[in-house]
Amino acid sequence: MPMQYFNTEKVADIPQAPSLLKLGACLMYDALVVVALSFASVLVFILVFGDASHGAKRYFLQLALLSIIGVYFVWCWRKSGQTLAMHTWQLKVVTQDSQLLSLKIAISRYLLACLSLLLFGLGFLWAVVDRKHLFLHDRLLNTQVIFAPRSKAL
């Protein structure tokens, strides 16, 4: 009688880490969404408040952009675990126990990702050396980006 060393049903249930290529493509797509969102937000800001090239309006515009982009990411991660780019590339951000992010974790993830960008993207490059391809902010917050294939329509 052959011995079975592992249960194949449970192996299939383990979330798979996406490839670095897929993570990179998703980041580039998310960057395009952020640029489009920023253009639209700046247009509305300028129409409402006028020129924002100097003074207090400039800093208010920067804070508004940081907040608007943050709301986009936090809302997407809380609602479905996926931004538009993540949905396209079939990726999803979840906790270690495969749950959607809480508001506190989603906000923390956004702020840590922003900090990573300020540090020349080092937190994102961390995925290259991480065995599970986790970004540094995901490693710190016990979250993960997993492959989430779409369900097939019958």
Side-chain angles (χ1 to χ4, degrees), residues 112 116 122-127 134-141:
L112 286 172
S116 175
L122 291 176
F124 292 98
L125 292 174
W126 178 269
L134 296 177
F135 299 124
L136 184 56
H137 48 272
D138 288 324
R139 177 67 64 193
L140 294 172
L141 295 170

Side-chain angles (χ1 to χ4, degrees), residues 25-151:
C26 185
L27 282 173
M28 298 306 283
Y29 190 166
D30 264 333
L32 293 174
V33 172
V34 166
V35 167
L37 186 59
S38 297
F39 276 127
S41 300
V42 168
L43 176 66
V44 171
F45 187 92
I46 290 173
L47 290 174
V48 172
F49 297 106
D51 179 32
S53 60
H54 58 280
K57 283 185 188 176
R58 177 180 172 186
Y59 297 113
F60 183 58
L61 173 60
Q62 291 172 350
L63 181 63
L65 284 173
L66 185 69
S67 300
I68 290 166
I69 293 166
V71 166
Y72 164 72
F73 280 108
V74 169
W75 182 75
C76 288
W77 294 333
R78 291 268 300 133
K79 181 178 183 271
S80 65
Q82 298 176 303
T83 60
L84 179 61
M86 294 173 87
H87 182 71
T88 301
W89 288 98
Q90 300 180 40
L91 301 177
K92 187 174 188 175
V93 63
V94 294
T95 61
Q96 291 297 329
D97 57 351
S98 299
Q99 300 298 312
L100 292 177
L101 305 186
S102 68
L103 182 60
K104 179 181 176 184
I105 295 295
I107 291 171
S108 298
R109 188 174 194 270
Y110 174 69
L111 293 174
L112 286 172
C114 288
L115 180 62
S116 175
L117 285 175
L118 289 174
L119 298 173
F120 308 104
L122 291 176
F124 292 98
L125 292 174
W126 178 269
V128 174
V129 297
D130 191 279
R131 62 183 167 79
K132 292 174 88 178
H133 299 262
L134 296 177
F135 299 124
L136 184 56
H137 48 272
D138 288 324
R139 177 67 64 193
L140 294 172
L141 295 170
N142 291 321
T143 58
Q144 60 185 339
V145 176
I146 60 170
F147 178 65
R150 293 180 203 98
S151 58

